[in-house]
Amino acid sequence: MALTSSVLHRSKLPDVGTTIFSVIGQLSAQHNAINLSQGAPNFPCDATLIDGVTRAMQQGHNQYAPMTGHQALKEVLAEKVATLYGQSYDVASEILITGSASEGIYAAIAGLVHPGDEVIFFEPAFDSYAPIIRLQGATPIALKLQLPNFTINWDALRAAITGRTRMIIINTPHNPSAQVLSHGDLVQLAAITRHTDIVVLSDEVYEHILFDGRQHHGMATSPELAQRSVIISSFGKTFHVTGWRVGYCLAPAALMEEVVKVHQFMMFAADTPMQVALADYLHIAEHYLSLSRFYQQKRDLLKQWLQDSPFRALPSAGSFFMLISYADFSDEPDNDMVRRLIVDHGVATIPLSAFYTDGTDNKLLRLSFAKDESTLQAGAQALCRVRPR
Ligand SMILES: Cc1ncc(COP(=O)(O)O)c(C=O)c1O
């Protein structure tokens, strides 16, 4: 029996409901559809990693980890970042292990954004940014990425900056557009933020998934931007363990101090056995350096299998997402299209309008190719059976 509460309360997020991912996931399960909607792999992680966690538990690593993270994990991360991106982060004061990238994003925004501040981000966007900004009493300012390649309009960014702009949120590789920032983009961002107190919150959870030989242009690759950036990443995305909820955050000590204050009271510390296992696993660089190759194969297969469908695949430069367009054959709202694909064709996707606060509908759907080959093929076959009408 449901409880009935007589407590009067005013919602802090009255317009926020259950995330689109849960809604589509449920509908997909209800119709037994092939689920290409959620950004979670449906294949197992490396058994070595599971053995590592098991071993860590058996060896007694079952109590609180140090508040900012397991020392060995922070050390190996510092090495990885220095080697890959050329930036040194101090293990004691500039690296934080978080309970997922989501927690890191929350802690960074809550720690650094004040009531009345403005935070600029780019849409389509990952769904957590705007609600977290609002929960701080700050104002989210959404700028639209420019189609067809979802590029940042630097003039629009320059024009949107006011005396109250406290933070700019960047995401590369980008969910949901699957585009990545270039070195030229970082040069623009550095020029725009120079001589300001703007913090860059850089969501880089797909840092190890870039295609066709592209390099990751994260904030740690720019000595200037690294000075004002909080970088967020996620082991869940890199090692196919999205359920483990472990991520990390890099920032100069003065910014990190404030992020850590929030983390301290949200999580205190991330899961200990996972951190111990990840520390060992990260010593082999191939474990993350092989990821681009692994996902590029999936991207290419999906693209090939979609060739006979009426949908047009947009280029995917990074992440494990691909957008497909149906603008050539239908002007149906994307929410209706997604529902129809689940109910009539047994395949679940995400409508791109869900990533815009104003529901912009460009007749685009997001597919995740973090799936095994048989799922990808079955999903593509279902999309090939769609007839334009
Ligand atoms: C762009 C982006 N940021 C953050 C996250 C959250 O990552 P985590 O699962 O580690 O919380 C996701 C997950 O889908 C994402 O796509």
Side-chain angles (χ1 to χ4, degrees):
M1 195 184 72
L3 293 176
T4 43
S5 173
S6 58
V7 176
L8 282 178
H9 79 286
R10 202 157 44 88
S11 172
K12 296 180 85 171
L13 297 170
D15 53 341
V16 171
T18 310
T19 72
I20 182 81
F21 308 101
S22 306
V23 173
I24 300 284
Q26 261 173 24
L27 193 66
S28 170
Q30 211 178 314
H31 291 271
N32 213 11
I34 296 143
N35 194 344
L36 301 184
S37 68
Q38 217 198 2
N42 73 338
F43 43 82
C45 67
D46 188 341
T48 318
L49 206 42
I50 295 180
D51 290 345
V53 174
T54 311
R55 204 169 38 247
M57 287 179 171
Q58 284 166 343
Q59 288 173 347
H61 294 285
N62 298 304
Q63 309 309 329
Y64 296 122
M67 193 262 282
T68 62
H70 179 58
Q71 178 72 10
L73 179 55
K74 294 200 300 175
E75 283 171 4
V76 71
L77 274 177
E79 268 173 48
K80 172 175 92 93
V81 175
T83 306
L84 291 183
Y85 309 133
Q87 184 64 47
S88 297
Y89 284 90
D90 177 54
V91 172
S93 60
E94 298 183 328
I95 301 181
L96 171 68
I97 308 300
T98 55
S100 77
S102 299
E103 194 240 345
I105 293 168
Y106 195 102
I109 298 175
L112 296 165
V113 172
H114 293 254
D117 285 349
E118 292 173 355
V119 178
I120 299 176
F121 68 109
F122 300 93
E123 289 190 331
F126 184 60
D127 61 352
S128 78
Y129 307 147
I132 300 174
I133 296 162
R134 286 167 52 203
L135 283 170
Q136 314 315 314
T139 307
I141 309 287
L143 300 184
K144 287 199 170 91
L145 294 170
Q146 303 177 110
L147 272 62
N149 293 324
F150 294 90
T151 43
I152 293 177
N153 180 337
W154 295 106
D155 290 333
L157 174 61
R158 215 171 271 112
I161 291 175
T162 72
R164 294 206 285 190
T165 306
R166 176 67 183 141
M167 180 180 272
I168 298 173
I169 303 181
I170 296 290
N171 171 213
T172 184
H174 185 251
N175 173 15
S177 77
Q179 296 307 307
V180 300
L181 292 191
S182 65
H183 174 68
D185 288 320
L186 298 197
V187 171
Q188 293 269 14
L189 184 60
I192 289 175
T193 51
R194 198 168 293 145
H195 311 305
T196 71
D197 289 328
I198 296 172
V199 172
V200 173
L201 174 60
S202 189
D203 181 343
E204 303 182 14
V205 299
Y206 303 103
E207 65 175 313
H208 296 301
I209 316 177
L210 284 94
F211 306 131
D212 309 312
R214 288 181 176 82
Q215 298 295 310
H216 175 54
H217 293 290
M219 300 307 129
T221 64
S222 158
E224 181 177 352
L225 285 168
Q227 297 304 320
R228 63 170 73 250
S229 295
V230 178
I231 298 171
I232 302 287
S233 196
S234 164
F235 296 110
K237 303 293 183 181
T238 302
F239 296 132
H240 321 312
V241 289
T242 57
W244 286 11
R245 316 307 293 137
V246 192
Y248 63 91
C249 179
L250 309 168
L255 297 178
M256 183 60 95
E257 197 180 339
E258 300 308 314
V259 181
V260 167
K261 286 179 191 170
V262 180
H263 162 79
Q264 172 168 230
F265 298 122
M266 281 181 77
M267 289 287 296
F268 183 70
D271 292 354
T272 307
M274 273 70 172
Q275 293 193 62
V276 173
L278 285 163
D280 275 352
Y281 198 70
L282 273 164
H283 277 292
I284 299 176
E286 189 58 14
H287 285 153
Y288 47 87
L289 296 181
S290 60
L291 202 62
S292 291
R293 209 177 326 122
F294 174 80
Y295 274 118
Q296 184 165 324
Q297 233 171 17
K298 291 186 182 296
R299 179 202 66 168
D300 292 347
L301 281 174
L302 179 61
K303 198 172 149 202
Q304 181 193 325
W305 287 331
L306 285 172
Q307 258 165 14
D308 292 332
S309 85
F311 296 91
R312 185 166 46 83
L314 272 56
S316 167
S319 81
F320 43 57
F321 301 113
M322 181 187 289
L323 295 181
I324 55 172
S325 167
Y326 61 89
D328 298 340
F329 69 89
S330 170
D331 60 2
E332 201 172 345
D334 64 358
N335 277 307
D336 295 357
M337 174 62 87
V338 163
R339 195 163 283 272
R340 193 159 70 78
L341 289 178
I342 294 173
V343 176
D344 297 351
H345 296 277
V347 57
T349 62
I350 299 278
L352 203 71
S353 62
F355 296 86
Y356 287 94
T357 34
D358 68 359
T360 293
D361 177 0
N362 290 308
K363 315 300 172 200
L364 291 167
L365 311 178
R366 192 198 73 176
L367 307 183
S368 162
F369 50 85
K371 307 292 162 194
D372 57 34
E373 279 187 24
S374 62
T375 305
L376 285 180
Q377 190 165 25
Q381 281 167 348
L383 290 167
C384 286
R385 284 193 292 270
V386 174
R387 293 283 156 256
R389 55 177 197 188

